[in-house]
Amino acid sequence: MPPKTERTNKKEVEAVVLDYLQWGYASDRRPLNQRESIILAVGTDQFKLLEIIAKKDVAINLHDKVYMGEDERKHVERVKRRLSYDELTPTAKGELEPVVEKIIAESEGRFVEFYNTAVPISLKMHMLNLLPGFGKKTLTDTLEERQKKPFESFEDIRTRVKTLQKPEKFIRERIMLELENPEEKYHLFTSK
């Protein structure tokens, strides 16, 4: 896992659309022809919440992936700023959890690797304990199984650790906790 500063400064290259405001925010009092189309999105790498200015006259739907890298961009004019969870629209908040689930499913190897490489944070706390609902028995069983052989998939985890039947759920809940709570001390999957 990269150091916090490296992850924080790294730009997102791809994001998933949580909400599309074709005429900008309702609170914008400028005439419609002067407003910018806004995409509210979550990055696929660090789960950064972003406000993106969309290019004119492009079709954008919820859950579309948009590219924001250095090469030619089809949907994105520019990334305007990072957002906090509280700045998201109700639609974006409602779409966030299913989109996070989808990102986890599409990047399964990355999150399985977390189960294989998580380490103690202190004498009394392990990184795996930061996953909501991850108790002592599950921690012990997970560490014993991964010592025998690294996990290969979520299905492999489910099969070998009987107390861990939804490993992706623990990841999703941790990501949501980190996004919704700006005061969270540890960030395993998101950048501060």
Side-chain angles (χ1 to χ4, degrees), residues 44-61:
T44 59
D45 182 40
Q46 304 161 67
F47 298 96
K48 289 181 180 178
L49 300 173
L50 303 167
E51 180 180 273
I52 300 167
I53 305 303
K55 286 188 173 183
K56 299 283 185 207
D57 303 320
V58 294
I60 297 172
N61 298 302

Side-chain angles (χ1 to χ4, degrees), residues 98-117:
V99 166
V100 166
E101 247 177 51
K102 182 179 174 184
I103 293 169
I104 292 167
E106 290 175 354
S107 305
E108 181 177 342
R110 165 181 158 199
F111 298 104
V112 169
E113 188 62 20
F114 171 77
Y115 280 104
N116 285 325
T117 60

Side-chain angles (χ1 to χ4, degrees), residues 43-109:
T44 59
D45 182 40
Q46 304 161 67
F47 298 96
K48 289 181 180 178
L49 300 173
L50 303 167
E51 180 180 273
I52 300 167
I53 305 303
K55 286 188 173 183
K56 299 283 185 207
D57 303 320
V58 294
I60 297 172
N61 298 302
L62 296 185
H63 299 217
D64 281 354
K65 278 190 184 168
V66 294
Y67 174 76
M68 308 166 300
E70 299 300 320
D71 297 331
E72 186 178 341
R73 301 170 176 176
K74 181 179 175 183
H75 300 97
V76 175
E77 182 69 39
R78 70 183 187 281
V79 177
K80 187 169 182 179
R81 66 187 179 113
R82 277 188 69 179
L83 299 170
S84 69
Y85 177 80
D86 291 335
E87 293 176 294
L88 293 176
T89 62
T91 298
K93 286 179 182 177
E95 295 299 325
L96 184 57
E97 194 166 340
V99 166
V100 166
E101 247 177 51
K102 182 179 174 184
I103 293 169
I104 292 167
E106 290 175 354
S107 305
E108 181 177 342

Side-chain angles (χ1 to χ4, degrees), residues 112 115 151 153-162 164 167:
V112 169
Y115 280 104
F151 297 114
S153 65
F154 286 144
E155 186 56 40
D156 187 30
I157 295 171
R158 276 190 279 279
T159 303
R160 293 168 49 198
V161 183
K162 299 303 179 206
L164 191 52

